[in-house]
């Protein structure tokens, strides 16, 4: 069953600016922002807030999810998964794959709705919502995860939403479904759940499908969802979003992996270069610094490497620098003013390195007010923002020594990473989407 609800559609349509009238650098169009590195060069979010101070609006969101909101023009887009409470008949519950019978998470028996919302950026009111699918999941998820862990992406004309095993969906910005794509069923490690965030670039949607079954990466035509190419991957489960970069007249799609880091030719899917793999459970997204791609992960080990974008073939020995300590497990690093900032595992231990040389500038320094961290840090206005799972935020000054500028309490758990645009910060909490803006 699919339902679409339009509220004030005519007014909303008139207020939604055309793509060519909007500067992408002033939006947050995808996971990790306009430059895919967690930084906004134009945003000026507040330094301080709490549940009552510098809150422009908060909108309750049904269900559960950890996907980061994205921002384009006058709209904020966010996904969620809602347990309907409606129990499925035994014959409607997907049978387990016998190859993965030892999964440790409990398979639900209720139907779930997989939904996308468009909110008014000024008021937080729901402009439209759409039920992409209503299905019984075939596996559970980690207790700290959800069925809506993938962030949307937009190019200003289309909105691409991924629910992984439950479909990839493309809309116009007014909520009209343009196409959907079913890529099959994922079987994640230990049944911990999915987060298949798409990368949208120059009319193509790149989807990395690493799981315990037959892994692959594919490129879809953003206009109609048709498969342009698909390449098998010898990789176990990972949750990292591909990095798409243009370099020397060609476009590369760069993917972390436990076995290998690989760069694919965006036009053909051919491997451009490969590098030795990272750790198990790759989650942090790669980013670009000048002429290199920087990748890292931090589960059951620590690994980071800067790989030149002009590499070809086996680039295992070509890394500009490597690091074997202090790297993150769930959060992605942020790049600001030539410095990488990241936390160790999911802990409150901060490291900063020179992105060009790998020189450690701030070595595993404790952020005292924080505890367990899933949200990725973001940067703007000379500051770095860190938010932990309790909703506590620490704001530090960009630099080579720790200088805490503010500590803020939202009063609601947060796993999703912040989105920055203009003078606003958007946070997806456990129950609400928050717009934080200085008053």
């Amino acid at each position: 069953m699919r339902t679409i609800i339009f509220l004030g559609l005519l007014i909303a349509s008139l207020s939604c600016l055309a793509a060519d009238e909007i500067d992408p650098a002033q939006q947050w169009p995808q996971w990790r922002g306009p430059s895919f590195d967690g930084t906004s060069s134009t945003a000026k979010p507040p330094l301080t807030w709490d549940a009552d101070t510098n809150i422009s609006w908060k909108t309750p969101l049904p269900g559960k999810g950890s996907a980061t909101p994205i921002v384009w023009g006058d709209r904020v887009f966010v996904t969620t998964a809602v347990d309907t409470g409606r129990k499925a008949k035994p014959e409607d519950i997907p049978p387990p794959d016998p190859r993965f019978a030892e999964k440790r998470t409990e398979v639900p028996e209720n139907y779930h709705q997989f939904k996308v919302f468009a909110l008014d950026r000024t008021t937080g009111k729901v402009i439209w919502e759409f039920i992409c699918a209503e299905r019984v999941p075939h596996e559970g998820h980690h207790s700290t995860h959800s069925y809506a862990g993938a962030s949307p992406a937009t190019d200003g004309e289309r909105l691409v939403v991924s629910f992984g095993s439950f479909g990839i969906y493309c809309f116009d910005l007014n909520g009209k479904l343009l196409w959907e794509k079913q890529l099959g069923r994922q079987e994640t490690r230990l049944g911990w759940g999915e987060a298949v965030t798409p990368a949208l670039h120059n009319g193509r949607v790149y989807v990395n499908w690493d799981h315990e079954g037959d892994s692959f990466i594919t490129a879809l035509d953003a206009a109609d969802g048709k498969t342009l190419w698909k390449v098998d991957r010898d990789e176990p489960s990972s949750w990292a979003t591909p990095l798409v970069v243009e370099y020397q007249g060609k476009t590369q799609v760069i993917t972390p992996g436990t076995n290998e880091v690989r760069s694919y030719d965006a036009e053909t899917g051919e491997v451009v270069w490969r590098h030795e793999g990272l750790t198990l459970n790759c989650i942090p997204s790669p980013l670009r610094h000048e002429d290199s791609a920087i990748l890292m992960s931090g589960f059951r080990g620590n690994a980071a490497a800067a790989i030149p974008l002009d590499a070809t073939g086996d680039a295992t020995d070509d890394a500009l620098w490597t690091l074997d300590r202090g790297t993150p497990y769930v959060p992605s690093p942020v790049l600001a003013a030539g410095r990488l900032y990241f936390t160790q595992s999911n802990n409150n231990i901060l490291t900063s390195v020179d992105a060009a040389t790998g020189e450690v500038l701030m070595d595993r320094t404790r952020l005292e007010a924080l505890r367990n961290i899933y949200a990725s840090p973001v940067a703007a206005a000379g500051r770095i923002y860190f938010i932990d799972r309790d909703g506590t935020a620490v704001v530090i000054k960009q630099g080579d020594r720790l200088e805490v500028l503010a500590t803020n309490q939202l009063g609601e758990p947060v796993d999703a990473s912040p989105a920055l645009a203009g003078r606003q910060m958007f946070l997806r909490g456990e129950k609400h989407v928050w717009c934080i803006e200085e008053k």
Side-chain angles (χ1 to χ4, degrees), residues 270-333:
E270 294 181 0
V271 174
V272 179
W273 53 261
R274 55 171 53 87
H275 188 274
E276 64 183 359
L278 300 170
T279 70
L280 193 65
N281 290 5
C282 293
I283 297 178
S285 293
L287 53 81
R288 177 181 182 173
H289 176 256
E290 297 179 349
D291 297 333
S292 67
I294 299 173
L295 302 100
M296 59 180 63
S297 65
F299 178 71
R300 294 188 179 176
N302 294 274
I307 306 167
L309 291 172
D310 61 1
T312 57
D314 186 353
T316 296
D317 296 328
D318 296 339
L320 301 175
W321 57 263
T322 61
L323 188 67
D324 61 1
R325 66 182 189 270
T327 54
Y329 177 20
V330 173
S332 295

Side-chain angles (χ1 to χ4, degrees), residues 230-267:
K230 178 181 176 183
V231 176
D232 293 338
R233 284 170 57 82
D234 176 23
E235 291 293 342
S237 297
S238 73
W239 293 264
T241 306
L243 169 67
V244 185
V245 299
E246 295 181 0
Y247 186 73
Q248 295 182 345
K250 294 185 178 181
T251 304
Q252 300 181 38
V253 183
I254 300 168
T255 58
T258 298
N259 295 330
E260 287 186 329
V261 174
R262 299 174 183 86
S263 172
Y264 298 89
D265 185 304
E267 290 296 317

Side-chain angles (χ1 to χ4, degrees), residues 267-411:
E267 290 296 317
T268 66
E270 294 181 0
V271 174
V272 179
W273 53 261
R274 55 171 53 87
H275 188 274
E276 64 183 359
L278 300 170
T279 70
L280 193 65
N281 290 5
C282 293
I283 297 178
S285 293
L287 53 81
R288 177 181 182 173
H289 176 256
E290 297 179 349
D291 297 333
S292 67
I294 299 173
L295 302 100
M296 59 180 63
S297 65
F299 178 71
R300 294 188 179 176
N302 294 274
I307 306 167
L309 291 172
D310 61 1
T312 57
D314 186 353
T316 296
D317 296 328
D318 296 339
L320 301 175
W321 57 263
T322 61
L323 188 67
D324 61 1
R325 66 182 189 270
T327 54
Y329 177 20
V330 173
S332 295
V334 62
L335 174 65
R339 303 292 193 256
L340 289 165
Y341 299 82
F342 49 89
T343 50
Q344 178 174 288
S345 186
N346 300 328
N347 302 323
N348 61 341
I349 307 299
L350 173 64
T351 294
S352 173
V353 306
D354 185 311
T357 66
E359 178 188 0
V360 176
L361 305 170
M362 191 188 314
D363 190 9
R364 292 170 291 181
T365 302
R366 189 174 298 275
L367 296 167
E368 292 291 349
L370 300 179
R371 297 175 64 193
N372 200 18
I373 303 169
Y374 275 22
S376 300
V378 294
R383 307 164 185 160
I384 312 291
Y385 293 76
F386 298 88
I387 302 177
D388 73 7
R389 301 194 66 223
D390 294 328
T392 301
V394 167
V395 187
I396 69 170
K397 185 177 181 180
Q398 293 178 21
D400 297 343
R401 64 181 182 87
L402 181 62
E403 183 178 345
V404 175
L405 301 176
T407 300
N408 306 308
Q409 302 282 350
L410 188 65

Side-chain angles (χ1 to χ4, degrees), residues 31-272:
W31 164 244
R32 303 309 286 145
S35 301
F36 207 79
D37 57 13
T39 294
S40 171
S41 62
T42 61
K44 296 180 179 179
L47 174 63
T48 61
W49 66 85
D50 59 31
D52 301 309
T53 305
N54 286 337
I55 303 298
S56 182
W57 52 260
K58 69 174 184 178
T59 297
L61 201 64
K64 185 177 181 181
S66 50
T68 293
I70 64 168
V71 183
W72 189 269
D74 61 358
R75 305 204 174 163
V76 178
F77 302 97
V78 65
T79 61
T80 191
V82 181
D83 184 343
T84 67
R86 184 165 64 91
K87 192 171 182 178
K89 297 177 181 179
E91 60 268 26
D92 293 335
I93 297 176
D97 188 319
R99 296 176 297 168
F100 313 103
E102 296 182 357
K103 288 188 174 182
R104 300 179 185 174
T105 55
E106 185 176 354
V107 178
E109 297 181 349
N110 292 347
Y111 283 93
H112 285 63
Q113 292 180 346
F114 302 88
K115 303 182 71 172
V116 55
F117 285 82
L119 308 179
D120 185 287
R121 179 173 167 179
T122 302
T123 66
K125 292 182 178 179
V126 176
I127 298 174
W128 58 262
E129 61 183 270
F130 194 98
I131 301 175
C132 296
E134 185 169 321
R135 290 165 57 184
V136 182
H138 60 279
E139 65 179 7
H141 57 71
H142 193 279
S143 60
T144 64
H145 196 30
S146 72
Y147 291 117
S151 299
T154 184
D155 57 6
E157 297 180 22
R158 308 174 188 90
L159 174 72
V160 179
V161 174
S162 169
F163 290 105
S165 295
F166 312 102
I168 314 291
Y169 302 85
C170 182
F171 302 86
D172 69 17
L173 299 194
N174 289 320
K176 178 182 177 182
L177 181 64
L178 303 177
W179 54 263
E180 67 174 86
K181 188 80 169 182
Q182 301 294 327
L183 294 178
R185 172 167 144 171
Q186 278 204 342
E187 305 284 350
T188 59
R189 181 172 185 264
L190 302 178
W192 279 350
E194 308 174 14
V196 184
T197 296
L200 177 59
H201 183 82
N202 281 355
R204 294 189 172 199
V205 181
Y206 300 96
V207 178
N208 194 32
W209 198 265
D210 288 350
H211 66 131
E212 300 306 290
D214 299 325
S215 297
F216 60 85
I217 183 170
T218 187
L220 309 177
D221 191 321
D224 54 20
K226 291 182 179 179
T227 301
L228 300 174
W229 53 260
K230 178 181 176 183
V231 176
D232 293 338
R233 284 170 57 82
D234 176 23
E235 291 293 342
S237 297
S238 73
W239 293 264
T241 306
L243 169 67
V244 185
V245 299
E246 295 181 0
Y247 186 73
Q248 295 182 345
K250 294 185 178 181
T251 304
Q252 300 181 38
V253 183
I254 300 168
T255 58
T258 298
N259 295 330
E260 287 186 329
V261 174
R262 299 174 183 86
S263 172
Y264 298 89
D265 185 304
E267 290 296 317
T268 66
E270 294 181 0
V271 174
V272 179

